[in-house]
Amino acid sequence: MNITKQVITVSSIEKALKKYVPMTETAFYILLSLTGPRHGYGIIKHVEELSGGRIRLGSGTVYGTLTKMNKDGLITVFADEDRKTLYEISALGKKVMSVEITRLKELHRNAVTFEEDFL
């Protein structure tokens, strides 16, 4: 179990928000999958299940994104055992997701409001 506390500074939040918001669909679903510890293949299967099979992430995409997010502090390594690395979302990652979810709620609200204008 990883018990390392992450210190979040205002500048690290601003830097992460600038880099990740608006978020790609891949990044969104990967972070959404890491509310609990998961390894890469578990993320792939979870995203496929959440999206009803619409999104099938390749392993290169997942591990490339995980490496980038780990470097930027959005996720942490929860455990590294039996040749499987388990990741989980960090406090900084939760903050970035919170801002992205607020943005998506606004988009949804406006889409519903004006949907009939496009039918």
Side-chain angles (χ1 to χ4, degrees):
M1 180 181 202
N2 186 351
I3 57 171
T4 304
K5 282 265 184 186
Q6 182 183 27
V7 176
I8 303 173
T9 63
V10 172
S11 68
S12 67
I13 293 172
E14 288 172 352
K15 188 176 175 181
L17 291 175
K18 186 175 181 180
K19 188 171 185 176
Y20 286 95
V21 177
M23 197 171 284
T24 65
E25 201 170 26
T26 297
F28 178 83
Y29 274 111
I30 287 174
L31 284 178
L32 198 64
S33 296
L34 293 175
T35 53
R38 278 202 168 83
H39 53 73
Y41 184 70
I43 293 168
I44 290 170
K45 298 310 288 178
H46 190 244
V47 169
E48 191 173 331
E49 181 184 317
L50 284 174
S51 68
R54 181 176 64 83
I55 300 173
R56 294 188 176 145
L57 299 174
S59 59
T61 298
V62 170
Y63 288 107
T65 304
L66 288 172
T67 299
K68 189 171 86 174
M69 288 179 167
N70 191 27
K71 181 181 166 198
D72 293 337
L74 272 65
I75 63 171
T76 60
V77 173
F78 178 79
D80 200 357
E81 52 193 40
D82 296 331
R83 297 174 28 192
K84 287 185 180 178
T85 303
L86 296 173
Y87 300 93
E88 68 178 353
I89 193 166
S90 67
L92 178 60
K94 287 180 181 179
K95 177 66 182 163
V96 170
M97 275 298 277
S98 174
V99 170
E100 179 64 358
I101 287 170
T102 299
R103 187 186 75 81
L104 291 172
K105 284 180 177 177
E106 177 196 316
L107 286 176
H108 179 263
R109 187 176 56 250
N110 287 326
V112 169
T113 299
F114 294 99
E115 181 181 17
E116 288 190 18
D117 294 343
F118 297 95
L119 298 177

